[in-house]
Amino acid sequence: MQLQDGNTLLTLFLLFLLLAAAALVIAWHYGRRWGDLSSRRQYGEALTEDEQTALRRARRNFWIWAGISLVLMALSFFALA
């Protein structure tokens, strides 16, 4: 299997694109939790210590998974070059 084979490059492109979409769905999941907790805090509701920890964790996990998605998307387009 050579890397110059067109079918192999297309398969790599689609694989990386599919993985990027999956990472984006995971980031969306964490983003919903982040948005829920931060909007509750913004509208004056006091968050418990566990909820504040969950807020920080959701924010961090969102940015990690969004970054992974971005890197995988870039790799998919570099596979075509």
Side-chain angles (χ1 to χ4, degrees):
M1 181 167 79
Q2 295 179 354
L3 267 174
Q4 298 301 330
D5 185 20
N7 291 334
T8 305
L9 293 177
L10 184 60
T11 303
L12 282 175
F13 169 73
L14 292 175
L15 177 68
F16 284 136
L17 205 58
L18 180 67
L19 290 174
L24 191 61
V25 168
I26 295 170
W28 170 75
H29 170 73
Y30 286 116
R32 287 189 62 189
R33 180 75 173 144
W34 174 21
D36 176 49
L37 290 171
S38 65
S39 68
R40 285 176 45 201
R41 185 177 65 178
Q42 183 179 2
Y43 285 108
E45 186 176 335
L47 298 179
T48 64
E49 189 63 37
D50 290 337
E51 288 174 330
Q52 289 195 12
T53 303
L55 174 66
R56 287 189 296 273
R57 187 177 298 121
R59 184 184 315 130
R60 183 184 63 236
N61 287 338
F62 168 79
W63 286 115
I64 288 170
W65 283 103
I68 290 170
S69 175
L70 186 64
V71 167
L72 285 170
M73 192 180 329
L75 281 175
S76 71
F77 285 102
F78 281 131
L80 290 178

